[in-house]
Amino acid sequence: LISLYSSHHKHEMAISQILTPLRDPNLPSADRKQRLQDLMHYLQQLGSDYQNLIFDCSRMFYKESRQLVLELFVGYAPTDGGEAISNQAIMEHLKELSENDTQLENEWEKNALEITFLRNLIWEKKETGSMYHTELVFLYTSSISSLEKSLNQLETKKQEVETERERNAEFASAEDGLALLISQRRELLLRSKKELLEFLELSDCYDATDILQKLDTNEFLEERAIILSKLGEYLNALEIIAHQMGNVDMAEAYCQK
């Protein structure tokens, strides 16, 4: 029946057939997962004529798993129903989903969907639009600043717990939990910084001037040096590396390069 509706471009009716079993609270988890996958693959084939329907279904996906939402839009390749939904519209929708998620307290958590979508768009789909490359840089810097703030708060909390543990051994488990959380956040921070630096080196499509104007001059020093190099301002880049960062080895390597 679904195939029949699809062949006659009755996509709302086809999707209704897929959705009906999902409303059953007793549906086995394996069947539910398969139905969601079927729905996702169906939606990936529909163009902008069905944008509202696709976005509505993606809100349902989000309640199930953020990964499902990413899979939907990363694999989006419509064959019917008009042109593809614009990447800008998808970005705005992903932002809306994260902003409305009350469980996400930090910018680095809220930015994750957009960052993953943009990385796929740029590296896998070869998108060269400046606005997307520039936005990815800003999302990274926002996330990195948020992660650094989060780490500082956790470190402060850990020190408070360590002080309490000296008076009460029951705080030992809390200290261990905080230590693990700090380790995980630090790993995420290092990975985010590494990805941003690599992106700045490899991409020639972001708006370097706009990024430099909006970055705090006392933050993201290595990133600023890379961007200045892209603009041909080699002495200014070297000044950051040698004097502001105080990294003699990096400065020598930069001169040799």
Side-chain angles (χ1 to χ4, degrees):
L1 188 57
I2 293 170
S3 297
L4 178 64
Y5 285 142
S6 177
S7 64
H8 287 79
H9 310 286
K10 304 292 185 181
H11 300 301
E12 292 94 339
M13 298 178 73
I15 288 173
S16 178
Q17 288 293 315
I18 301 174
L19 284 172
T20 298
L22 290 171
R23 299 189 180 99
D24 181 1
N26 298 317
L27 184 69
S29 59
D31 292 344
R32 182 175 185 80
K33 182 177 180 180
Q34 183 58 55
R35 281 283 176 172
L36 287 169
Q37 288 289 325
D38 291 343
L39 177 57
M40 179 187 69
H41 293 315
Y42 196 103
L43 292 170
Q44 286 175 331
Q45 303 174 53
L46 302 182
S48 57
D49 292 350
Y50 299 90
Q51 177 173 317
N52 290 338
L53 177 62
I54 293 170
F55 284 179
D56 284 344
C57 289
S58 76
R59 293 184 181 94
M60 179 186 69
F61 288 160
Y62 190 91
K63 294 176 182 178
E64 297 279 340
S65 164
R66 285 160 60 90
Q67 184 61 34
L68 271 176
V69 178
L70 278 174
E71 289 180 22
L72 168 62
F73 292 115
V74 163
Y76 182 61
T79 58
D80 192 20
E83 297 180 354
I85 299 171
S86 71
N87 291 319
Q88 184 62 30
I90 292 174
M91 286 288 296
E92 291 172 359
H93 178 64
L94 294 177
K95 183 178 181 64
E96 175 198 319
L97 289 175
S98 296
E99 290 291 343
N100 291 336
D101 188 342
T102 56
Q103 294 184 333
L104 303 182
E105 299 178 354
N106 305 291
E107 289 302 310
W108 62 268
E109 295 173 297
K110 295 177 181 179
N111 293 342
L113 277 180
E114 293 172 86
I115 287 175
T116 305
F117 175 76
L118 279 176
R119 283 180 60 85
N120 177 268
L121 183 66
I122 291 168
W123 296 130
E124 301 301 324
K125 298 185 178 180
K126 310 303 181 185
E127 173 61 57
T128 58
S130 176
M131 65 179 293
Y132 299 112
H133 286 244
T134 304
E135 180 63 18
L136 182 56
V137 173
F138 285 135
L139 285 167
Y140 266 126
T141 55
S142 169
S143 295
I144 289 169
S145 295
S146 176
L147 278 165
E148 288 175 338
K149 180 181 178 181
S150 176
L151 266 174
N152 290 334
Q153 292 172 339
L154 288 172
E155 291 283 5
T156 300
K157 183 65 175 178
K158 184 170 180 288
Q159 291 174 2
E160 294 172 355
V161 170
E162 287 173 348
T163 301
E164 291 294 332
R165 182 174 60 82
E166 294 176 359
R167 296 194 294 263
N168 188 339
E170 292 181 359
F171 281 86
S173 60
E175 183 182 356
D176 292 341
L178 280 170
L180 176 60
L181 191 56
I182 288 170
S183 175
Q184 292 172 338
R185 295 280 170 85
R186 186 174 289 117
E187 181 181 348
L188 179 57
L189 175 60
L190 291 174
R191 184 168 72 245
S192 298
K193 285 184 173 181
K194 180 174 181 290
E195 289 176 358
L196 174 57
L197 290 170
E198 289 177 346
F199 181 73
L200 291 172
E201 288 277 13
L202 294 172
S203 172
D204 293 318
C205 300
Y206 54 82
D207 188 332
T209 302
D210 185 34
I211 293 170
L212 282 176
Q213 288 176 344
K214 293 178 180 177
L215 284 185
D216 190 312
T217 55
N218 296 317
E219 292 186 283
F220 300 103
L221 297 179
E222 187 172 356
E223 291 83 357
R224 289 177 62 83
I226 292 173
I227 297 171
L228 285 167
S229 294
K230 287 289 184 78
L231 294 173
E233 298 183 24
Y234 305 114
L235 290 178
N236 288 333
L238 183 59
E239 193 277 333
I240 289 176
I241 297 170
H243 298 291
Q244 291 184 258
M245 294 176 63
N247 192 324
V248 176
D249 291 338
M250 185 183 291
E252 290 180 356
Y254 183 81
C255 290
Q256 292 173 357
K257 180 181 175 180

